[in-house]
Amino acid sequence: MKAIKFTKMQGLGNDYVYINGFEEHVPDPSALAKRVSDRHFGIGSDGLVLILPSNKADVRMRMFNPDGSEAEMCGNAIRCVGKFVFDNGLCTKDTVQVETAAGIRIVRLLKDGGEITGATVDMGAPVLNPADIPANLPEGMEGKPFVNCPVMVDGVTYEVTAVSMGNPHAVIFLRGIDSLDLPDLGPKFEHHPLFPQRTNTEFVEVVSRSRVRMRVWERGTGETLACGTGACAVAVACVLNELTERSVDVELPGGVLRIVWDKADNHVYMSGPASKVFDGALSAWKE
């Protein structure tokens, strides 16, 4: 038996188990993700994050969902990665380059009294070409952008805007998001045939030109308190549908993220908190 040290961290309640891959070896991260994510028989989390050496950036991040599937990116998790590597001396710079399956992301750490309390992340340019999201346009919409497209679910037509922020998102604007039955509706979008690699789905209510509210059904996870890439996708979809300005506060159940889609460089910037919850050790892991 070998004990594996871990740190639980959260960004707006989007909580993950983080393991220092510079020191620890995880033989089967998919199986471990299932184990640690269980909120009754495990640690309890929205997934597992491995922080590993990189030959392209300061560190490499791998993220696994509670169902064991590997995701390309996680906006809330990458802020916590920045805090983790700084607090643990893996990188002593205020700006951390993090390699992800969606490419290298730049994490600028935010301090309060010398403590890392959050980060602003350059999330890169949004991907809007349907084939690259990937998303199949509804019949009759071929050759058009996937913006405000009609998608039928359970006999109801929803207007959907598809965006990739390194992972696929379907953004839906509607009123009354608090009353939605996401455990029923979310999986129907996640597994919809228009999304060949499944999709994260954001249900959004516009409050003003500078603020929106959202709930999210995350691919491979379910409803979570926050989704960083989802908030970025929502901000992009808001601009594409002429609903808000390019700088918007996105209110999630776990708190607020500030998202800016910069017109000058076409990059999306996400600012939000990152917190350590506790350290621990998994004492019954067999190689």
Side-chain angles (χ1 to χ4, degrees):
M1 297 293 185
K2 180 184 178 183
I4 297 179
K5 296 179 181 178
F6 70 87
T7 298
K8 183 170 178 178
M9 304 183 77
Q10 60 89 14
L12 295 187
N14 200 192
D15 56 341
Y16 292 90
V17 170
Y18 294 76
I19 292 178
N20 182 352
F22 287 77
E23 298 178 355
E24 306 289 343
H25 172 63
V26 178
D28 188 346
S30 293
L32 186 59
K34 293 178 182 179
R35 177 187 171 197
V36 301
S37 299
D38 192 294
R39 296 190 183 275
H40 298 287
F41 296 98
I43 297 166
S45 70
D46 290 326
L48 171 72
V49 175
L50 304 182
I51 301 172
L52 304 160
S54 170
N55 56 13
K56 300 178 180 178
D58 295 312
V59 295
R60 178 185 175 208
M61 161 184 157
R62 293 184 71 191
M63 179 269 191
F64 295 84
N65 294 311
D67 67 355
S69 62
E70 185 168 4
E72 301 91 340
M73 243 301 276
C74 175
N76 290 313
I78 200 171
R79 295 197 311 274
C80 291
V81 168
K83 175 177 172 61
F84 183 100
V85 299
F86 188 91
D87 289 350
N88 289 276
L90 299 177
C91 181
T92 58
K93 300 179 294 184
D94 289 342
T95 299
V96 183
Q97 291 186 332
V98 181
E99 178 188 352
T100 76
I104 294 175
R105 298 292 184 260
I106 308 301
V107 182
R108 182 170 60 84
L109 301 175
L110 303 175
K111 294 183 179 180
D112 184 3
E115 179 185 357
I116 304 299
T117 57
T120 295
V121 184
D122 180 350
M123 299 288 285
V127 175
L128 303 178
N129 179 34
D132 296 327
I133 291 174
N136 301 317
L137 282 157
E139 187 175 349
M141 302 291 292
E142 293 84 1
K144 298 180 180 180
F146 205 128
V147 176
N148 204 31
C149 287
V151 175
M152 182 79 72
V153 172
D154 271 358
V156 178
T157 299
Y158 296 86
E159 303 296 332
V160 177
T161 297
V163 178
S164 173
M165 291 303 309
N167 53 357
H169 293 270
V171 181
I172 300 154
F173 297 98
L174 72 172
R175 293 287 182 183
I177 62 172
D178 293 329
S179 63
L180 291 175
D181 184 358
L182 251 58
D184 176 67
L185 187 59
K188 294 172 182 176
F189 279 96
E190 177 182 352
H191 297 280
H192 197 285
L194 290 179
F195 303 101
Q197 294 181 12
R198 298 186 293 164
T199 187
N200 304 280
T201 311
E202 287 76 34
F203 301 88
V204 185
E205 193 166 330
V206 177
V207 178
S208 70
R209 296 285 299 178
S210 61
R211 192 177 187 91
V212 300
R213 300 175 60 240
M214 69 171 261
R215 291 175 67 190
V216 58
W217 181 268
E218 291 200 52
R219 177 184 58 168
T221 303
E223 184 172 13
T224 60
L225 295 178
C227 176
T229 56
C232 293
V234 163
V236 171
C238 284
V239 174
L240 294 175
N241 288 279
E242 301 181 349
L243 296 172
T244 70
E245 306 301 330
R246 299 183 78 95
S247 177
V248 62
D249 287 334
V250 180
E251 180 184 338
L252 306 107
V256 177
L257 291 172
R258 167 60 61 88
I259 311 295
V260 178
W261 186 13
D262 195 305
K263 192 172 183 178
D265 63 6
N266 194 38
H267 283 207
V268 179
Y269 295 86
M270 171 195 63
S271 298
S275 301
K276 175 180 173 179
V277 183
F278 61 84
D279 292 315
L282 292 160
S283 60
W285 179 259
K286 184 181 289 186
E287 293 259 2

